[in-house]
Amino acid sequence: MEEALMARARRPGPASVSPPARRQRANVLIAADVPPRRWIGALGIAAFLAAWQVVAMQVDERSTLATPVAVVAAFIDMLHQPFAGSTLQAHLLASLRRFGAGFGLAAIVGIPLGLAMGWNRWLETVIQPIFNLLRFIAPIAWVPFAVLWFGTGFGGPVLIIFSGAFPACVIGAYGGARMVDPRLQEAARMLGASHLRILLEVVVPSAVPSMVAALRVAAGNAWQSLVGAELIVATSGVAYLMVRGQMNRTIVIVLVGMLAIGLVGLLLEVLFRHLERYVQRRLGSTVS
């Protein structure tokens, strides 16, 4: 019994561990808690590409599936060789112009409307039923109106993109305005601030994080709506490139278009995510 007690006493306790050893142990525990997300993502992409390569090599018909190597080679080649009247970057530029017009119009109209609905109860009562009816209509359902009103030019796709991005802008701005602390508004009123000044200096700054998050969602919706629009009512753009590739039974062209769409969508997501984190840091919010 005495030997066991003496052995336990000789064991180094927490107080006897040196500070460098404690720091090293803490670093090990912190490193163990951090999941290897980047490695997992890289392994997932590698596994997907390997499976794609194997499946594509087993397919005899080239018009059915192309290998990743062939898609990348065609992607690089189309940067210099025109297809469907333009090079790949020219088609991308046409798509981005439509995206910018539709998304910008949705933000210009939707953000102020959402703020006004969250600020004014009477306006919310009037507009919300109509808005709730329209926001459940899929953007692709506006294609007949886009063709009849604007044809296959610039305006038709912009209308469809606008219809895809507009609801997210309104909902985000509305939610941000409704979540403003009423005590801040009451304090501003007690100090003699006008309704317009309260809206501009209290409500809008407090709703900025929600508005940026809404723009991030709206950008994704707008880019997806652009693809649907160009598949039907456009004579240029990345999705139109895919249509021409499908008509020619050239699957590699279709996959090049899908790759370009995915890369641009990923870039938009990264840009808006950094913008959202920047706004949260500036406002002192916690970033997830």
Side-chain angles (χ1 to χ4, degrees), residues 22-165:
R22 285 200 300 269
R23 286 195 297 268
Q24 184 177 4
R25 183 181 300 176
N27 292 334
V28 170
L29 292 175
I30 292 173
D33 291 336
V34 177
R37 297 179 180 177
R38 295 183 179 179
W39 288 105
I40 292 177
L43 288 176
I45 294 174
F48 171 75
L49 292 176
W52 178 6
Q53 180 75 22
V54 171
V55 173
M57 291 176 64
Q58 300 300 320
V59 176
D60 296 330
E61 193 67 34
R62 291 187 177 182
S63 61
T64 303
L65 187 62
T67 63
V69 176
V71 173
V72 173
F75 187 97
I76 297 173
D77 184 65
M78 291 179 64
L79 295 175
H80 309 284
Q81 298 295 329
F83 182 83
S86 301
T87 58
L88 179 60
Q89 58 265 34
H91 284 292
L92 271 174
L93 184 60
S95 296
L96 289 173
R97 282 199 297 263
R98 297 186 183 104
F99 167 81
F103 173 71
L105 185 61
I108 292 173
V109 178
I111 293 294
L113 180 61
L115 289 172
M117 290 173 59
W119 168 252
N120 191 304
R121 294 294 180 86
W122 288 97
L123 188 63
E124 175 189 359
T125 304
V126 173
I127 296 179
Q128 194 171 42
I130 303 173
F131 172 75
N132 287 334
L133 175 66
L134 294 177
R135 74 185 182 95
F136 289 108
I137 300 176
I140 204 70
W142 292 98
V143 168
F145 293 96
V147 174
L148 291 174
W149 294 345
F150 302 103
T152 59
F154 186 78
V158 169
L159 173 62
I160 300 172
I161 296 166
F162 171 85
S163 65

